[in-house]
Amino acid sequence: MLAYTIRRLLLLVPMGAGMVVVTFGLLLLIPGDPAALMLGQEAPAEAIAALRRSLGLDDPWHLRLGRYFLALVQGDMGMSLFQSQPVATIIWGRLGATVELAVAALLLASAIGISLGVVAAMRQGSWVDTLAMLFAQLGVSMPVYWLALLLMLGFAVHLGWLPAVGRGAPMSEALWAALRGRPEMLVQSLSYLVLPAFALAMNAAAVISRLVRASMLEVLREDFVRTARAKGLRRPRVVVRHALRNALLPVLSVIGLRFGALLGGAVLTESIFAWPGLGQLTIAAISQRDLPLIQGIVLTFAIVFALVNLVVDLLYAAVDPRVRLE
Amino acid sequence: MRRALANPSLVIGVAIVATIVLLALLAPHVATHGIAQMDMRNRFALPSAEHWLGTDNFGRDLWSRMVAGARISLAIALAATAGAAAIGTAVGLAAGYFGGWVDLILMRITDIFLGFPAIVLALALVAVLGPGVTNVALSLVVVFWTEYARVVRAATLVLREQTYVAAARALGASPARILVREILPNAAGPIIVLASLGLGTAVIAESALAFLGFGLPPPAPTWGWTLAYGTGFMREAPWLSIVSGAAIMLTVLGFNLLGDGLRDLLDPRQLTRASGATRKT
């Protein structure tokens, strides 16, 4: 396991380097002068020249790439052009909210997806199966921003049960307060979290339910399941202890890969629910053409995604020794 | 043919896709009004015989704008998917057939691109490239080619061991000829399935960019933008957002059903599953 972990960690180095190159390459793609793009066409020529100098744009690209690498290693993502703060500081302040939303959505999606998938597989061909798969098909096809909007219209605007926009206290603080006997904060934080998390979860839930169903159907046909049944074990016990445990393995790695889509969906969800995370920051940075900030955000998303997949891979290897020997 | 008709996914998928493609192709003829034709006395009109889906804040006919929007969405999705499939297939064929260093380098590059959440990278690309049909399509090509590369590589790994490939090689066929004449036709099944599902993903992604205001600039009647500005009139005319969202969903649903149906029909199960490929939006 240790050898596998080290190998998997070492793999991150070339991946990370490649991601930095792609992020850096974004600047090279700009048609014309990046400084002029950032300041707008009406900016005076001296201001553009000054920005070019301060960003080092007059140097050859390989020198700039080298400098970019060196700075990143020291945790320096450059300065935001419009917020006069280091990019890393701005991103760090927003990361928590996005991670909270994404994790909540992932938990919700796994719960919905796994239960639907199992039920559908157990009752293959019945109306329950048809209904579950219809839900899955709609969930995959529904744009996250549309669902978010409908949920907001229904539950926040019409029924008035939940707040439409914003975020309560961070979940970590709210949980801490609840543990010390003050649950009001947690209730409030949850009320803000429910709608965005649900909107974001639906797509992943649909994908997971289809996978779990297919995987369960395969495992249920395996010999060891028949053996367990023949031993006289009850069906629910066989399904949970024998079938589900094996069926979930391939699903686990897919959940890791889906996390990228979830992060992308978070950008859209955040923009609708005014959730103060990285997604909202992305939109703001792009509208202002704040290129250092855009680069920092893109890289941060990639790093978070890579780390999640690392954790998933290690979990997978811990549960299934066959992976380590590959 | 009988197997195709017995497959409800395929039948419904084909019906939805065919309807929307027809509407898009015939947009100028099925539209009842000009897309920019304003009618200030008929602002926020409810759906009626005159305005089938109602009107927006300028009294513009929503039905006419929806069919015009179908054109934009389908054109971008088609261009993006064709580009992504072409690049991904070329990369996958080369990596799978030549193996070794070629495989290692090409697949590491694929992994790197796969490591970015698609919408985030597409947004950043549109931000630096600027708006416009070509740039939106290009940015989607950059984020979507990776799936094809992985699936085609997996298929090629299996196919290159086939006896007919060995026979072609023994006859002195060049690698290019083997790849194009022997391997590509046999890998076509998974590529077609992926492309069909990919068209749906591209429609969602294009609409997402438009929704956030980074697609085609208004007054282009994109579905995503209509949905976005409709949110400003939720009380007066909720149907603006609801109808445009439904149009996106129906189209994506059509492509997804078509893709699922084709997968069952062509049964390239081993090939697509071996790659562990998953869709991302």
Side-chain angles (χ1 to χ4, degrees):
Chain A
M1 190 65 205
L2 185 68
Y4 179 80
T5 311
I6 291 171
R7 212 164 34 164
R8 191 61 187 69
L9 276 172
L10 284 180
L11 211 64
L12 276 185
V13 177
M15 271 285 280
M19 285 168 170
V20 172
V21 172
V22 172
T23 313
F24 175 80
L26 284 173
L27 260 185
L28 301 179
L29 280 178
I30 296 174
D33 185 355
L37 178 90
M38 285 184 256
L39 293 180
Q41 297 306 326
E42 308 86 44
E46 307 87 71
I48 294 178
L51 182 62
R52 282 191 68 85
R53 261 196 312 281
S54 75
L55 289 176
L57 288 177
D58 294 318
D59 299 327
W61 69 268
H62 51 268
L63 213 76
R64 282 156 52 202
L65 178 59
R67 261 206 306 263
Y68 189 54
F69 258 112
L70 269 179
L72 280 178
V73 172
Q74 297 160 25
D76 175 13
M77 291 179 153
M79 287 292 283
S80 158
L81 292 179
F82 298 99
Q83 303 194 30
S84 60
Q85 269 192 71
V87 167
T89 313
I90 302 174
I91 291 179
W92 190 245
R94 297 288 197 119
L95 192 57
T98 297
V99 169
E100 182 180 309
L101 177 62
V103 169
L106 195 65
L107 291 177
L108 207 57
S110 306
I112 300 173
I114 292 173
S115 15
L116 270 183
V118 170
V119 171
M122 306 262 308
R123 302 259 180 280
Q124 193 193 1
S126 73
W127 62 270
V128 183
D129 185 20
T130 313
L131 215 62
M133 288 306 104
L134 190 71
F135 159 83
Q137 197 63 262
L138 289 179
V140 172
S141 308
M142 196 177 304
V144 50
Y145 41 94
W146 193 50
L147 177 62
L149 211 65
L150 295 182
L151 287 174
M152 190 158 118
L153 254 185
F155 292 95
V157 177
H158 271 287
L159 296 171
W161 291 352
L162 295 161
V165 291
R167 179 191 185 208
M171 213 28 101
S172 51
E173 284 174 31
L175 278 173
W176 184 237
L179 280 178
R180 299 199 318 199
R182 285 180 295 127
E184 316 83 38
M185 209 162 150
L186 183 62
V187 171
Q188 196 205 25
S189 291
L190 280 175
S191 72
Y192 280 104
L193 184 59
V194 169
L195 286 183
F198 200 76
L200 184 53
M202 209 38 100
N203 186 275
V207 175
I208 292 172
S209 73
R210 292 173 69 160
L211 268 159
V212 170
R213 177 179 177 274
S215 186
M216 276 297 277
L217 285 177
E218 220 160 274
V219 173
L220 283 174
R221 276 196 293 268
E222 297 271 356
D223 289 340
F224 64 82
V225 171
R226 199 164 22 148
T227 311
R229 287 284 286 152
K231 275 198 318 194
L233 293 183
R234 287 176 187 288
R235 195 164 150 82
R237 189 182 160 84
V238 174
V239 166
V240 174
R241 289 288 301 268
H242 293 77
L244 187 58
R245 276 173 74 177
N246 282 288
L248 281 186
L249 272 177
V251 177
L252 184 65
S253 61
V254 172
I255 291 180
L257 289 174
R258 288 299 307 177
F259 201 77
L262 208 65
L263 289 175
V267 174
L268 296 154
T269 314
E270 285 182 12
S271 80
I272 289 177
F273 289 104
W275 188 263
L278 270 188
Q280 245 198 359
L281 187 68
T282 312
I283 310 297
I286 290 178
S287 309
Q288 294 180 315
R289 300 187 175 267
D290 191 339
L291 285 167
L293 189 53
I294 296 176
Q295 285 179 308
I297 293 170
V298 171
L299 198 57
T300 306
F301 269 115
I303 293 170
V304 171
F305 189 20
L307 289 179
V308 168
N309 273 308
L310 173 73
V311 172
V312 167
D313 279 1
L314 292 181
L315 268 178
Y316 200 150
V319 186
D320 186 349
R322 283 169 297 183
V323 178
R324 294 189 298 244
L325 301 171
E326 218 175 68
Chain B
M1 192 61 204
R2 187 172 297 164
R3 254 177 73 211
L5 285 177
N7 182 330
S9 286
L10 193 62
V11 175
I12 303 173
V14 168
I16 296 177
V17 169
T19 310
I20 290 167
V21 168
L22 265 181
L23 285 177
L25 285 176
L26 300 175
H29 305 287
V30 293
T32 52
H33 297 71
I35 55 164
Q37 187 186 327
M38 299 189 201
D39 179 359
M40 290 315 250
R41 269 174 308 180
N42 257 323
R43 299 170 71 223
F44 301 128
L46 279 162
S48 63
E50 165 75 8
H51 298 288
W52 297 349
L53 294 174
T55 62
D56 67 7
N57 53 324
F58 296 114
R60 294 177 299 190
D61 182 63
L62 190 56
W63 162 257
S64 307
R65 292 179 66 79
M66 282 295 114
V67 290
R71 254 189 167 185
I72 303 173
S73 273
L74 290 185
I76 292 179
L78 203 64
T81 305
I87 294 174
T89 302
V91 169
L93 282 174
Y97 188 75
F98 296 112
W101 278 102
V102 179
D103 185 26
L104 192 74
I105 291 172
L106 287 179
M107 281 303 112
R108 284 298 85 80
I109 294 176
T110 310
D111 283 346
I112 288 165
F113 277 92
L114 213 53
F116 291 96
I119 284 290
V120 177
L121 188 57
L123 269 174
L125 281 165
V126 173
V128 298
L129 290 173
V133 178
T134 325
N135 288 342
V136 172
L138 261 180
S139 66
L140 296 183
V141 169
V142 174
V143 298
F144 287 138
W145 66 272
T146 48
E147 304 177 61
Y148 300 90
R150 286 164 57 119
V151 169
V152 172
R153 171 180 174 271
T156 308
L157 283 177
V158 176
L159 292 170
R160 73 167 183 194
E161 306 298 336
Q162 303 295 313
T163 24
Y164 56 81
V165 173
R169 209 179 293 132
L171 285 172
S174 67
R177 190 185 161 84
I178 293 176
L179 282 173
V180 175
R181 297 292 294 270
E182 310 292 339
I183 293 185
L184 186 58
N186 289 295
I191 300 175
I192 291 169
V193 171
L194 261 192
S196 173
L197 298 170
L199 281 166
T201 314
V203 167
I204 285 210
E206 178 270 325
S207 303
L209 292 179
F211 173 78
L212 293 172
F214 304 111
L216 299 197
T222 55
W223 290 341
W225 180 243
T226 309
L227 207 173
Y229 89 72
T231 60
F233 307 108
M234 269 304 176
R235 291 192 190 282
E236 302 92 327
W239 58 85
L240 287 179
S241 288
I242 293 176
V243 166
S244 40
I248 300 169
M249 187 172 110
L250 195 67
T251 310
V252 178
L253 184 68
F255 283 124
N256 282 343
L257 287 171
L258 179 65
D260 287 349
L262 283 174
R263 171 159 41 206
D264 293 341
L265 192 69
L266 301 169
D267 197 29
R269 184 176 289 165
Q270 286 93 6
L271 297 182
T272 33
R273 193 175 295 167
S275 72
T278 43
R279 270 182 294 150
K280 45 181 203 149
T281 324

